[in-house]
């Protein structure tokens, strides 16, 4: 998967309007609360929580809001269930939809309705596992870092790939090295804008601009559902597609 696809997604998130930002905050708070419940409230010793907090900070979420989300772990997270849906959209695009929900039937109904309405097909669990590989994706502002020296440091830490896009390093790690790379950045006193495990397609597909915009509008429809945390797909989102979506 090219860096353009990952970076376009991040740019769209960072440029979200107030309504989109509010929805994103809600999803981040939910992930923080569940992560704290599953692995404990100690950010340093809970990799999932640390990633969730880093992502929240990257979106400029206030510290007190983050802390309240952590504090809610004991009483609010027990109602949440993690669900994953897999299916095909038009033009051969596969999607995997990760959800956190307190109402299983509602989420299943909403996700199925979008597939049906937009000409897609909801598949069985594991049916698209061959299309994606789980990798760590970390974005880090370049700041005063020397690109060559930093790249060498990251290679030693076990990364798979590093790219510099618009003064931001995009770091890809194998899933098993994700935690170690985060610890390395912490030891270097570097704060990522975002750090998360993502499903990266083994082969990203190129479609026409019109087809790509059609697919991304369906993706956004899934993302607008409050129960949906992440939508992964195998469409190559070029800068041209990202620009068209902003118009």
């Amino acid at each position: 998967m090219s860096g353009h696809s990952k970076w376009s997604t991040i740019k769209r998130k960072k440029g979200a309007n107030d309504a989109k930002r509010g929805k994103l905050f809600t999803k981040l708070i939910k992930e923080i609360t569940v992560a704290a419940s599953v692995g404990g409230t100690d950010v340093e010793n809970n990799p999932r929580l640390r990633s969730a907090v880093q992502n929240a900070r990257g979106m400029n979420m206030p510290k007190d809001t983050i802390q309240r989300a952590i504090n809610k772990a004991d009483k609010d997270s027990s109602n949440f269930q993690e669900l994953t849906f897999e299916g095909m959209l038009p033009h051969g695009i596969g999607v995997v939809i990760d959800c956190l929900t307190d109402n299983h039937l509602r989420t299943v109904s909403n996700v199925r309705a979008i597939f049906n309405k937009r000409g897609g097909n909801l598949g069985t669990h594991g049916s698209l596992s061959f299309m994606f590989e789980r990798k760590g994706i970390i974005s880090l502002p370049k700041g005063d870092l020397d690109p060559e020296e930093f790249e060498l440091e990251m290679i030693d830490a076990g990364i798979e790939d590093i790219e510099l896009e618009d003064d931001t390093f995009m770091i890809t790690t194998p899933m098993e090295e994700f935690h170690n790379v985060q610890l390395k950045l912490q030891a270097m006193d570097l704060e990522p804008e975002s750090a998360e495990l993502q499903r990266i397609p083994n082969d990203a597909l190129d479609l026409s601009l019109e087809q790509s915009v059609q697919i991304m509008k369906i993706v956004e429809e899934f993302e607008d559902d409050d129960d949906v945390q992440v939508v992964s797909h195998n469409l190559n989102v070029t800068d041209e597609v990202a620009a068209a979506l902003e118009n």
Side-chain angles (χ1 to χ4, degrees), residues 63-203:
K63 288 183 179 180
D64 59 342
T65 303
I66 294 173
Q67 190 58 51
R68 281 199 301 271
I70 294 173
N71 294 341
K72 287 164 57 178
D74 291 336
K75 58 183 180 180
D76 285 0
S77 62
S78 59
N79 296 325
F80 289 121
Q81 179 182 5
E82 295 182 271
L83 298 176
T84 299
F85 301 93
E86 304 171 40
M88 298 299 297
L89 298 182
H91 316 302
I93 297 300
V95 289
V96 179
I97 303 160
D98 292 303
C99 305
L100 279 176
T101 179
D102 58 359
N103 187 319
H104 177 280
L105 293 178
R106 178 191 66 217
T107 307
V108 172
S109 176
N110 290 349
V111 169
R112 181 181 286 119
I114 295 173
F115 272 108
N116 292 340
K117 183 170 60 174
R118 301 305 178 193
N121 293 291
L122 182 60
T124 57
H125 182 68
S127 60
L128 299 188
S129 59
F130 70 96
M131 283 189 176
F132 300 89
E133 186 175 356
R134 295 271 276 181
K135 296 181 184 290
I137 304 296
I138 300 170
S139 67
L140 179 79
K142 174 180 175 292
D144 296 327
L145 291 169
D146 178 273
E148 292 186 5
E149 291 183 4
F150 181 63
E151 182 174 351
L152 290 175
E153 290 275 4
M154 290 296 95
I155 290 173
D156 288 342
I159 69 162
E160 182 176 295
D161 187 39
I162 183 168
E163 299 177 9
L164 184 60
E165 294 258 6
D166 295 342
D167 288 329
T168 297
F169 288 108
M170 296 300 303
I171 302 166
T172 303
T173 81
M175 185 173 69
E176 60 272 16
E177 296 294 342
F178 181 54
H179 178 52
N180 291 333
V181 173
Q182 287 181 291
L183 291 177
K184 176 65 174 180
L185 292 173
Q186 184 180 10
M188 297 173 68
D189 290 325
L190 297 173
E191 180 79 18
E193 281 187 333
S194 67
E196 56 191 348
L197 287 170
Q198 295 184 10
R199 288 183 171 86
I200 305 301
N202 294 316
D203 292 297

